[in-house]
């Protein structure tokens, strides 16, 4: 065999070995993250390290049921994590910080506990000023009672309210929409010639005029994916996990010191006008961001963007008002 021919064969062999070996080496260096129901351990590992601007390659598999993976406050589709299968994911972070990843499939009663963190190190490329949430700026006590003192007999109609608001020159700025409850706006209209029913219809129109079809559609999707299992598909607090959450909470309270002074809360009924018409968007923002202390309501501030929270709030109000299609 000629020397040149031998050299060519060696080069080809090295290329083949490299083509096969490089992916295998890369595969062996990519973390395999196991997903289990929260009561069986959740994500393992649940803390991941990354660098700004450097691709983060991850592999996921489920050890029990179907789970989903997504990173909060990132524009990425959810990835299904299936039993016995391996899902490959690549992420790149533009800014340093601690990001929360979470399960997007309702996998069990403690589904909301399936969270982990990605710690991203490095320098910021475009630092942004951080301002406090609106409910903090307004110094709202989100745990204080906020019931509406007068509620409508039925579901107020934005269709009827549109002509009433226009004929009476009634409007609502976006600032007032965020900071006032529907009941407060209703009460401010008592100086008009409108009846109580007409005032509520006008409020329904004002609330719809401060959102968009796109915002409502996005809020509906967020609600279905993250809220309906507890609060119910139609917002009545009767989701598939509602009773289980209440029973689990009552059982745990039996072993808590001072539990007799506490009151268990079932998931909020968004169709309750007394509660919901007395709540401003800013107040609901606080409850979503912080979560319900002492209840099964998780904090969503690390998951949703500010825009997503406002979209979700806009949709939640649709359980109170009859909006135009």
């Amino acid at each position: 065999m000629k020397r040149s021919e031998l050299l060519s064969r060696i080069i080809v062999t090295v290329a083949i070995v490299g083509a096969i070996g490089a992916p295998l080496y890369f595969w062996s260096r990519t973390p395999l993250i196991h997903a289990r129901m929260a009561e069986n351990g959740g994500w393992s590992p649940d803390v991941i390290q990354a660098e700004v601007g450097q691709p983060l390659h991850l592999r996921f598999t489920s050890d029990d049921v179907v789970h989903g993976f997504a990173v909060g406050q990132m524009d990425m589709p959810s990835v299904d994590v299936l039993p016995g299968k391996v899902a490959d994911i690549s992420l790149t972070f533009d800014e340093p910080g601690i990001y929360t990843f979470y399960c997007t499939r309702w996998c069990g009663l403690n589904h909301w506990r399936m969270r982990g963190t990605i710690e991203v190190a490095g320098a910021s490329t475009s630092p942004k000023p951080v301002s406090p949430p609106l409910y903090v700026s307004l110094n709202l006590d989100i745990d204080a009672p906020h019931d509406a003192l007068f509620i409508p007999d039925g579901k107020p109609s934005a269709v009827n309210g549109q002509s009433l608001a226009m004929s009476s020159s009634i409007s609502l700025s976006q600032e007032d929409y965020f900071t006032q409850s529907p009941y407060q706006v209703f009460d401010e209209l008592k100086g008009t010639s409108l009846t109580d029913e007409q005032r509520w219809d006008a409020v329904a129109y004002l609330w719809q005029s401060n959102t968009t079809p796109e915002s409502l559609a996005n809020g509906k999707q967020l609600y279905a994916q993250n809220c309906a299992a507890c609060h119910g598909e139609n917002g009545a607090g009767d989701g598939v996990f509602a009773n289980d959450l209440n029973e689990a909470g009552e059982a745990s309270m039996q072993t808590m010191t001072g539990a007799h002074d506490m009151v268990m809360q079932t998931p909020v009924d968004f169709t309750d006008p007394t509660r919901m018409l007395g709540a401003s968007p800013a107040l609901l923002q606080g409850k979503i961001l912080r979560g319900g202390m002492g209840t099964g309501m998780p904090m969503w501030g690390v998951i949703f963007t500010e825009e997503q929270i406002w979209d979700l709030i806009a949709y939640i109000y649709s359980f109170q008002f009859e909006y135009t299609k």
Side-chain angles (χ1 to χ4, degrees), residues 112-113 115 287-292 295-301:
W112 62 274
R113 294 183 182 274
R115 297 186 178 185
K287 289 185 175 292
I288 293 171
L289 282 172
R290 192 204 65 181
T295 73
M297 169 71 174
M299 58 176 290
W300 292 100

Side-chain angles (χ1 to χ4, degrees), residues 8 20 36 43 109 175 184 242 260 272 274 289 303-304 318:
S8 297
I20 297 174
R36 306 181 185 94
W43 302 104
L109 180 61
E175 180 181 357
Q184 286 175 299
H260 60 280
D272 176 7
T274 300
L289 282 172
I303 303 298
F304 296 147
S318 72

Side-chain angles (χ1 to χ4, degrees), residues 24 49 52 111 137 189 201 241 255 260 263 277:
L24 291 176
Q49 309 295 327
V52 169
H111 155 79
S137 299
L189 295 178
D201 286 344
F241 289 149
T255 61
H260 60 280
V263 178
L277 294 177

Side-chain angles (χ1 to χ4, degrees), residues 148 150-153 156-158 161 182-184 186 189 195-205 277 321:
F150 184 88
I151 60 174
D153 292 330
S157 167
Y183 170 73
Q184 286 175 299
F186 166 84
L189 295 178
T195 66
D196 291 342
E197 180 181 357
Q198 289 174 329
R199 281 194 285 159
W200 276 122
D201 286 344
V203 171
Y205 167 71
L277 294 177
F321 300 127

Side-chain angles (χ1 to χ4, degrees), residues 25 43 201 227 240 254 256:
Y25 175 78
W43 302 104
D201 286 344
C227 313
V240 294
Q254 301 303 318
M256 293 172 57

Side-chain angles (χ1 to χ4, degrees), residues 73-322:
Q73 300 189 353
M74 287 190 68
D75 185 16
M76 65 167 290
S78 171
V79 177
D80 283 344
V81 180
L82 307 176
K85 304 288 185 180
V86 175
D88 295 280
I89 301 170
S90 292
L91 302 169
T92 302
F93 297 87
D94 297 327
E95 293 293 326
I98 298 178
Y99 296 78
T100 298
F101 64 90
Y102 63 106
C103 180
T104 59
R105 290 292 198 111
W106 290 98
C107 53
L109 180 61
N110 292 304
H111 155 79
W112 62 274
R113 294 183 182 274
M114 282 199 62
R115 297 186 178 185
T117 56
I118 301 175
E119 299 176 351
V120 181
S124 176
T125 56
S126 55
K128 300 177 182 178
V130 178
S131 56
L134 181 59
Y135 85 96
V136 174
S137 299
L138 296 174
N139 197 30
L140 292 180
D141 181 356
I142 62 176
D143 296 313
H146 54 271
D147 292 350
L149 301 181
F150 184 88
I151 60 174
D153 292 330
K155 206 171 183 180
S157 167
V159 175
N160 296 338
Q162 181 174 7
S163 59
L164 293 168
M166 289 183 172
S167 63
S168 301
S169 300
I170 297 171
S171 62
L172 184 70
S173 69
Q174 192 166 66
E175 180 181 357
D176 288 339
Y177 162 76
F178 283 130
T179 59
Q180 296 190 50
S181 70
Y183 170 73
Q184 286 175 299
V185 176
F186 166 84
D187 192 52
E188 290 176 358
L189 295 178
K190 63 185 177 183
T192 67
S193 60
L194 301 179
T195 66
D196 291 342
E197 180 181 357
Q198 289 174 329
R199 281 194 285 159
W200 276 122
D201 286 344
V203 171
Y205 167 71
L206 295 175
W207 243 246
Q208 183 171 9
S209 67
N210 272 279
T211 187
T212 64
E214 293 76 19
S215 177
L216 289 170
N218 187 41
K220 182 178 182 179
Q221 182 178 0
L222 290 167
Y223 181 88
Q225 181 174 327
N226 300 285
C227 313
C230 294
H231 293 281
E233 182 179 350
N234 297 313
D238 56 355
V240 294
F241 289 149
N243 289 334
D244 291 338
L245 281 170
N246 193 40
E247 290 174 4
E250 290 177 345
S252 66
M253 286 175 63
Q254 301 303 318
T255 61
M256 293 172 57
T257 302
H260 60 280
D261 295 326
M262 300 176 64
V263 178
M264 276 306 300
Q265 296 183 30
T266 56
V268 168
D269 178 0
F270 293 133
T271 67
D272 176 7
T274 300
R275 177 191 290 264
M276 296 307 300
L277 294 177
S280 68
L283 186 141
L284 295 180
Q285 178 204 40
K287 289 185 175 292
I288 293 171
L289 282 172
R290 192 204 65 181
M293 299 177 67
T295 73
M297 169 71 174
M299 58 176 290
W300 292 100
V302 295
I303 303 298
F304 296 147
T305 64
E306 183 177 12
E307 181 180 2
Q308 287 176 322
I309 289 176
W310 293 128
D311 289 348
L312 181 57
I313 290 170
Y315 177 71
I316 288 173
Y317 278 119
S318 72
F319 294 126
Q320 289 298 321
F321 300 127
E322 193 70 49

